[in-house]
Amino acid sequence: MYENVYKKLRDNTETDQKKALTQKELSAIFKNEGNPLEQSVISKIETKTVIPPTTSLDVLKAYAHHFNVTTDYLLGLRDTQTIDENIAMISKTTGLSENAIYTLKSLNGSSIDMLNFMLSDKELIYTFLDNMSLYVNNTYQIPCHYDSATQLYVPNEDTLSKKTFIASDKKQRYIALGKKQPEQICGQDVYETRLVPVSILESHAIRIIEKVIDKWKDKWKKKRGDTI
């Protein structure tokens, strides 16, 4: 589905300190910059759900000048906004967003050295990013077990059954958590799984114990009248 870049540019003017420009405010800015566009025109542009077959030169001029973007971006011919061809090429080659590239360019020497060090080990950086994605947005939430008949992981019918809930090897026992995949195999749903070590419960228990101790400490200080 086509993303309306004109609305996106206006929405992106929002910051932590102020709301995004309204269509009326943007119209006034365009007028002050010598590229007048009525609010009704901006509204019409932003309600487009497909790439306009033709876009007026006045519209392209106003948006390109104020937002410092290319007309190719406004016409949907390229994904990057920047007029810097080097940035556009890096984005196309690596898949990094323009904001990510500008952030990298702003890093100082020691930060770049650390980043180069991290990226030099492909296995470690893959593991780091993979698990970071789980931390930010965990989608493995379905208890599963391995079905030897189909040779697939399938959801547990009885989540209290150790027989179906626990996977194991010689050194460790695991809880299998899965997420449903869009494709099927022989008409059966497929689940991508992560095996979570049962021993992780020990470290979880330690964190809970630390919280309890902290609460005891706070209560003790309050009882004595100490400032926390």
Side-chain angles (χ1 to χ4, degrees):
M1 183 177 179
Y2 167 63
E3 179 182 30
N4 192 300
V5 295
Y6 301 93
K7 185 176 187 304
K8 180 181 179 181
L9 288 170
R10 183 173 64 80
D11 288 343
N12 285 348
T13 61
E14 181 176 359
T15 67
D16 293 336
Q17 288 74 38
K18 63 182 182 68
K19 295 182 179 180
L21 292 171
T22 65
Q23 293 177 350
K24 183 177 181 179
E25 290 170 338
L26 183 57
S27 175
I29 291 173
F30 285 155
K31 183 177 181 179
N32 290 334
E33 293 176 344
N35 299 303
L37 288 182
E38 296 295 331
Q39 179 183 350
S40 60
V41 175
I42 296 175
S43 177
K44 185 176 181 180
I45 294 170
E46 290 190 2
T47 56
K48 294 282 187 180
T49 56
V50 296
I51 299 176
T54 58
T55 304
S56 77
L57 183 60
D58 289 340
V59 170
L60 294 176
K61 183 178 179 181
Y63 278 86
H65 176 262
H66 177 72
F67 291 103
N68 196 30
V69 298
T70 65
T71 55
D72 280 353
Y73 173 74
L74 295 172
L75 291 171
L77 300 177
R78 64 190 295 179
D79 295 328
T80 52
Q81 303 176 15
T82 181
I83 59 176
D84 187 327
E85 291 301 325
N86 290 328
I87 297 295
M89 181 58 68
I90 294 172
S91 178
K92 182 178 180 179
T93 303
T94 65
L96 293 171
S97 69
E98 293 172 59
N99 287 338
I101 296 170
Y102 284 123
T103 297
L104 289 174
K105 288 184 65 176
S106 70
L107 296 179
N108 58 32
S110 60
S111 297
I112 286 292
D113 289 343
M114 178 57 66
L115 187 60
N116 280 325
F117 172 75
M118 294 172 64
L119 292 175
S120 65
D121 193 315
K122 185 183 296 186
E123 182 178 352
L124 284 180
I125 196 65
Y126 279 178
T127 301
F128 173 78
L129 293 176
D130 189 36
N131 285 275
M132 178 63 76
S133 66
L134 286 178
Y135 179 77
V136 173
N137 181 30
N138 177 31
T139 54
Y140 293 84
Q141 301 176 350
I142 304 171
C144 294
H145 70 277
Y146 183 73
D147 182 9
S148 57
T150 62
Q151 297 185 341
L152 296 172
Y153 275 95
V154 297
N156 296 334
E157 295 180 1
D158 179 6
T159 57
L160 299 179
S161 171
K162 292 183 178 179
K163 183 177 180 181
T164 60
F165 192 62
I166 301 295
S168 63
D169 57 29
K170 294 181 179 179
K171 296 182 179 180
Q172 182 62 270
R173 304 174 74 200
Y174 302 90
I175 296 173
L177 297 176
K179 66 175 179 180
K180 188 177 179 180
Q181 300 299 292
E183 72 279 1
Q184 291 186 327
I185 294 180
C186 298
Q188 183 167 342
D189 291 333
V190 177
Y191 292 82
E192 181 182 340
T193 57
R194 294 296 180 101
L195 299 182
V196 181
V198 174
S199 60
I200 200 172
L201 294 175
E202 297 174 3
S203 58
H204 176 69
I206 290 296
R207 288 195 292 270
I208 298 300
I209 291 171
E210 289 175 343
K211 289 182 179 181
V212 172
I213 293 175
D214 285 341
K215 288 182 179 180
W216 273 331
K217 180 179 68 175
D218 292 343
K219 287 186 176 182
W220 177 254
K221 287 185 175 181
K222 287 181 180 180
K223 182 178 179 180
R224 294 175 53 190
D226 295 345
T227 302
I228 299 176

